Amino acid sequence: MSDSIELAPALRAAQMPLAQIPVIDVSALYGGPGEDEMVAQIGKACREIGFFYAINHGVPEALIAEVYAEARRFFALPEAEKERVAIEQSACHRGWFRVGGENLDPAKQAKGDLKEGYKVGRDLAPTHERVVAGVPLHGPNQWPDFLPGWQDVMQAYYDEMVALGRRMIGAFALALGMEENFFEPWLGITMTTLGPLHYPPQSGHITEAQIGAGAHTDYGCLTLLQQDAAGGLQVQRRDGVWVDAPPIPGAYVVNIGDMMERWTNGVFQSNPHRVINISGGERYSLPFFFDPDFYAPVECLPTCLQPGEAPKYAPTTAGAHLLEKIYASFEYKQAEV
Ligand code: OGA
Ligand code: NI
């Protein structure tokens, strides 16, 4: 950290030995030995901190590098170019949002997060029955077709990540004591989203009033994140202590979101996390949000209710749950309500 940066005490992560967040070899997602061990490790991580690093995940390094390159290429454009695919123009929450456009901690931050991003979702044609029916969050992507090749790279990575997410959620089902294919019926048209992010550098006296990504829990089911070498991701443990989640080259940071917490009645908890880019340079990350079908029920799973225990959350659906969260955190949606 350079001496022109001063973090408010509330933003300092505890200096702890490494291994706060477990590193799990997930090669058994593709079959072969080690599945029981992997499932046990995933279950333990989700019960204890809600985060783990996944290594040997099978996503080609070269593809990840291309996605970073395309993300940088887009974010480096002049604002007027980016406006051509602004999220405000999309009926289904796709495209570019400016710095401050998302506010993950509205209770503390007046101006929104110090990051810009781009939402790529499932690319459904305007003639698709759900789009015709006006189902929220369903529809075509906005593509910056003035950047040749951009769409192909993003779509290839998106497809790869949907496949990885499907495998991963099978392991989660096993970790919850259910059949591997338990979630399958809820994965019809997954509401999966790739959301590349760009964090400008931050310096000076930094407080919780504005950081890269304000403290939040993720909304959905699973998040699979690539972060570059800049660092700055922090995770809050269940005891309230903030710890660093430093980059491990090539590894995914996997964490669970509020929907998984609801399904599991809090057995798997979605832990708060935040980003403060004090690297002195730009920071890029590639979160991928794996969420189920709009109509998937979100209510306590049968294996997650102990005798005598009551569900902590009212039943809802994946679509209703996500819409509520998105409306609460995106500035352009505030104007609509
Ligand atoms: C998010 C998030 C972390 C990062 O987008 O929900 O927590 O490193 N991102 O960008
Ligand atoms: Ni998050």
Side-chain angles (χ1 to χ4, degrees), residues 278-328:
I278 50 171
S279 66
E282 313 298 319
R283 177 182 192 270
Y284 298 87
S285 67
L286 309 172
F288 181 81
F289 303 101
F290 185 85
D291 294 317
D293 191 276
F294 190 86
Y295 296 107
V298 180
E299 58 191 35
C300 183
L301 298 170
T303 57
C304 293
L305 205 57
Q306 303 307 317
E309 213 180 33
K312 290 184 188 137
Y313 310 97
T316 182
T317 60
H321 171 88
L322 279 187
L323 280 174
E324 187 188 313
K325 300 283 182 178
I326 291 169
Y327 272 73

Side-chain angles (χ1 to χ4, degrees), residues 261-283:
E261 176 165 326
R262 288 179 81 134
W263 271 340
T264 64
N265 212 32
V267 173
F268 286 2
Q269 212 174 40
S270 64
N271 273 18
H273 50 284
R274 64 189 179 193
V275 177
I276 316 162
N277 178 18
I278 50 171
S279 66
E282 313 298 319
R283 177 182 192 270

Side-chain angles (χ1 to χ4, degrees), residues 104 115 197 199 213 216 218 223 225 227 233 273 275 283 285 287 289:
L104 288 167
K115 64 167 162 53
L197 297 171
Y199 296 81
H216 66 284
D218 287 353
T223 306
L225 173 92
Q227 55 168 333
L233 177 62
H273 50 284
V275 177
R283 177 182 192 270
S285 67
F289 303 101

